[in-house]
Amino acid sequence: MSDVKIDEVPITGIPSDKRITQIKNDFFEEFGTMPQFIVKVPGRVNIIGEHIDYCGYPVLPLALEQDILIGGKPIDVQELHLRNTNKKYIKYSTKLLSFEDLDIKADETGKPYWYNYVLCGIKGAIEYLNNEIVGGLQLCIDGNIPPASGLSSSSALVSAACLSFLYAQKVYPSKTEIASLCAKSERYIGTQGGGMDQAIAFLAEKYSAQYITFDPLQAKPVSLPENAVFVVAHSLAEANKAATNDFNRRVIECRLAAKILAVSNGASLDQKIINLSQVQKNLNKSLDEMISLVDEFLCKNSYTKNEVCDMLNITEKELNDIYLTPNTKHLSEFKLRQRALHVYKEAMRVESFRKICEDNFSNGSCKNGTNGSSHTNGNSGSLEPISVLGTLMTESHESLKKLYECSHVNLDRLVDISKAMNVHSRLTGAGWGGCIVALCPKEIVDNYIETLVDKFYVQYCNIDKNEALAYVFATTPSHGAVIYK
Ligand code: GLA
């Protein structure tokens, strides 16, 4: 370890493994020189707390072993050269301009180019440095997080690029500072994400999930049951949240719901209320009480633009300019009630989940034993803690499917196959495709994976058994970002 501070991204010697060797070789082939450093940023799976980070509520993800690796070398000229070890990703070079001039454009179908995520991280870093940058950078990227799978490959790429750039500029922000910077930087892609993915990317610790709270950003390790594992299974439906307006639509529906709840309960329109958690704080209510307020003030299943304008006493132009994003301005209806109900109930589930873990497991062990004799707190009655955790995950999925409408038939099928084996699961990440995460008792994990392979991948998706094994895996909580040098 070098003399970096404890709250900075750790810097350690370069380990020798196959992917590191590959990246070094590719770097040499592309640039005729060796990388000076390699950064590693993990993907994540969110255990519970979906679509609530951008509403200001805590979430509970863990870092995966799959990651983005970037080999980097500073150069004298103010240029950026990007290469990927996967040759399907095209080469890209650009002059390094001021952050205001660094343009990030999607392709003609509106889908971002792979390197746009790198540019987001670099643009954010240049902005953070007030355009005071020295020289440029050569980067070679390698990733093994399946893309468009809801496992945060994009955020890991943004974060790894931002970290590489700042490190090359000899700037070492704290982990929370760079996590917040990366969350902001990723919005240059056009989606209004929260900060969960970037927070876990930097604040993760091995062997535990993290309870992440926002404003201010903090992470607290959460011990998980020792006798169960979290299994991730890909639905084979791609989920690229920057390619459609589904994600932003949910974000603005939540913002509008927050504003209407605030105004209906006495706040003035110009009071700064940006999310559902702020309304709760301002009104000094419990989550249960917020749910009653939603029932009272957001009772319709759908609101037109005019109705929203009337409730807020604003013009359509004000609604478009102040509240909507470029890709949501054309929307004509908003499901405010369903989204707000999901958020408040999901926030409650996160609290219950964390409390059960805190009360029952420490350092990966089950305090009350694992043989069915345990009793948890009031929330769980006399049930096994793991089964209560599982029920919370199942409820989360139901809510994401019905109230948030961000599931996919393939995800639902995976959840149903799991249910038939008494394994609780839910979609993880933004949804509309991507992966499920399942809480599976250790003693049946092999059987569970085999059943998913057979019933979902082979029988339903018609893919080969060996190929299928690449899409389903048991996770081990990994650590956060590292710099190797
Ligand atoms: C994406 C976003 C996160 C979060 C999840 C849904 O991964 O980047 O901030 O909103 O979706 O929970």
Side-chain angles (χ1 to χ4, degrees), residues 19 36 63 65 115-116 120 174 201 213 228 270 298 301 334 351-352 390 414 462 485:
R19 282 177 63 224
Q36 218 175 65
E65 284 173 325
Y115 55 79
N116 285 5
C120 285
S174 72
T213 47
D270 42 3
L298 292 171
N301 278 333
F334 304 93
E351 292 314 316
S352 308
L414 279 168
N462 286 321
K485 113 173 205 234

Side-chain angles (χ1 to χ4, degrees), residues 45-47 62-65 207-209 223-233 353 357 361 364-366 370 385-387 389-390 393 418 421-426 436-450 452 472-478:
V45 58
N46 189 20
I47 304 299
L62 57 87
L64 294 172
E65 284 173 325
Y207 307 122
S208 59
S223 294
L224 299 169
E226 202 179 42
N227 51 349
V229 273
F230 290 96
V231 173
V232 169
F353 198 102
C357 290
F361 319 118
S365 63
C366 187
T370 59
I386 290 179
S387 119
L389 296 180
M393 289 173 70
S418 308
M421 292 188 73
N422 283 325
V423 174
H424 291 276
S425 63
R426 54 180 290 278
I436 61 153
V437 57
L439 177 58
C440 182
K442 256 190 185 154
E443 69 271 16
I444 63 158
V445 73
D446 290 342
N447 185 13
Y448 172 61
I449 291 179
E450 261 171 46
L452 288 186
V472 49
F473 58 90
T475 61
T476 315
S478 193

Side-chain angles (χ1 to χ4, degrees), residues 435-469:
C435 292
I436 61 153
V437 57
L439 177 58
C440 182
K442 256 190 185 154
E443 69 271 16
I444 63 158
V445 73
D446 290 342
N447 185 13
Y448 172 61
I449 291 179
E450 261 171 46
T451 307
L452 288 186
V453 166
D454 185 40
K455 295 216 158 105
F456 182 76
Y457 297 101
V458 176
Q459 290 180 32
Y460 179 65
C461 302
N462 286 321
I463 67 167
D464 182 76
K465 191 172 172 178
N466 288 328
E467 195 194 330
L469 286 169

Side-chain angles (χ1 to χ4, degrees), residues 44 46 49-51 53-54 155 193-197 241 247 429-430:
R44 61 100 189 93
N46 189 20
E50 220 62 83
H51 284 284
D53 59 345
Y54 52 79
S155 302
M196 164 170 70
D197 308 345
K241 66 180 183 296
F247 189 89

Side-chain angles (χ1 to χ4, degrees), residues 22-33 68-73 75 79-94 114-115 118-119 122 137-143 157 161:
Q22 160 96 35
I23 216 167
K24 283 183 179 168
N25 290 346
D26 277 36
F27 198 99
F28 189 80
E29 230 170 72
E30 293 290 347
F31 300 118
T33 174
I68 295 282
L69 290 176
I70 300 190
K73 182 163 191 213
I75 48 176
E79 287 172 359
L80 176 70
H81 299 281
L82 304 179
R83 303 290 184 266
N84 201 304
T85 55
N86 183 338
K87 299 305 169 214
K88 89 172 191 204
Y89 296 117
I90 55 168
K91 299 179 183 187
Y92 182 77
S93 294
T94 180
W114 76 271
Y115 55 79
V118 178
L119 295 181
I122 297 209
L137 198 56
Q138 294 168 323
L139 297 177
C140 181
I141 293 133
D142 180 80
L157 185 51

Side-chain angles (χ1 to χ4, degrees), residues 58 68 280 322 330 373 378 380:
I68 295 282
Q280 187 198 350
I322 304 172
H330 66 282
S373 61
S380 47

Side-chain angles (χ1 to χ4, degrees), residues 44 46 49-55 59 150-152 155 186-187 191-198 214 241 247 251 400 404 426-432:
R44 61 100 189 93
N46 189 20
E50 220 62 83
H51 284 284
I52 61 171
D53 59 345
Y54 52 79
C55 299
V59 291
L151 301 179
S152 193
S155 302
E186 191 166 333
R187 298 193 190 114
T191 44
Q192 298 289 309
M196 164 170 70
D197 308 345
Q198 302 78 5
F214 301 94
K241 66 180 183 296
F247 189 89
V251 176
L400 289 160
Y404 227 70
R426 54 180 290 278
L427 74 82
T428 185
W432 295 286

Side-chain angles (χ1 to χ4, degrees), residues 203-422:
L203 300 169
E205 285 173 25
K206 221 167 160 47
Y207 307 122
S208 59
Q210 297 289 322
Y211 173 71
I212 294 178
T213 47
F214 301 94
D215 201 22
L217 178 60
Q218 276 171 346
K220 200 173 162 227
V222 173
S223 294
L224 299 169
E226 202 179 42
N227 51 349
V229 273
F230 290 96
V231 173
V232 169
H234 202 302
S235 69
L236 302 190
E238 287 216 342
N240 183 341
K241 66 180 183 296
T244 72
N245 71 358
D246 291 326
F247 189 89
N248 279 359
R249 183 179 191 139
R250 300 301 183 276
V251 176
I252 62 110
E253 284 172 325
C254 289
R255 282 187 198 153
L256 290 174
K259 198 75 193 178
I260 290 169
L261 286 175
V263 169
S264 314
N265 285 279
S268 73
L269 185 66
D270 42 3
Q271 194 171 335
K272 203 168 171 263
I273 305 268
I274 50 160
N275 62 39
L276 287 162
S277 142
Q278 271 176 349
V279 197
Q280 187 198 350
K281 272 189 211 119
N282 285 12
L283 296 176
N284 199 14
K285 302 271 184 207
S286 67
L287 284 165
D288 267 325
E289 287 168 331
M290 289 313 293
I291 291 169
S292 305
L293 289 185
V294 174
D295 281 334
E296 188 177 344
F297 294 100
L298 292 171
C299 45
K300 288 183 65 170
N301 278 333
S302 167
Y303 290 87
T304 64
K305 234 176 180 173
N306 276 343
E307 285 171 326
V308 171
C309 290
D310 285 350
M311 285 192 287
L312 293 177
N313 200 14
I314 55 173
T315 63
E316 186 168 334
K317 180 162 181 344
E318 284 169 326
L319 178 66
N320 287 343
D321 295 351
I322 304 172
Y323 297 94
L324 306 187
T325 60
N327 66 351
T328 54
K329 283 196 199 306
H330 66 282
L331 296 179
S332 55
E333 67 152 23
F334 304 93
K335 297 195 178 175
L336 308 181
R337 168 184 176 73
Q338 297 87 323
R339 312 311 186 215
L341 282 179
H342 164 77
V343 170
Y344 288 132
K345 291 182 181 176
E346 183 79 353
M348 288 171 91
R349 283 187 281 271
V350 172
E351 292 314 316
S352 308
F353 198 102
R354 182 186 63 114
K355 179 142 194 355
I356 291 166
C357 290
E358 222 170 61
D359 290 352
N360 291 280
F361 319 118
S362 65
N363 300 324
S365 63
C366 187
K367 277 186 194 163
N368 294 332
T370 59
N371 53 9
S373 61
S374 59
H375 290 261
T376 59
N377 58 71
N379 261 333
S380 47
S382 60
L383 288 167
E384 268 268 8
I386 290 179
S387 119
V388 185
L389 296 180
T391 305
L392 290 167
M393 289 173 70
T394 295
E395 286 170 9
S396 168
H397 184 77
E398 281 302 298
S399 176
L400 289 160
K401 177 178 166 182
K402 297 200 176 119
L403 294 175
Y404 227 70
E405 296 175 290
C406 64
S407 191
H408 183 281
V409 279
N410 286 15
L411 290 167
D412 297 339
R413 186 166 283 250
L414 279 168
V415 167
D416 288 344
I417 297 171
S418 308
K419 216 177 272 166
M421 292 188 73
N422 283 325

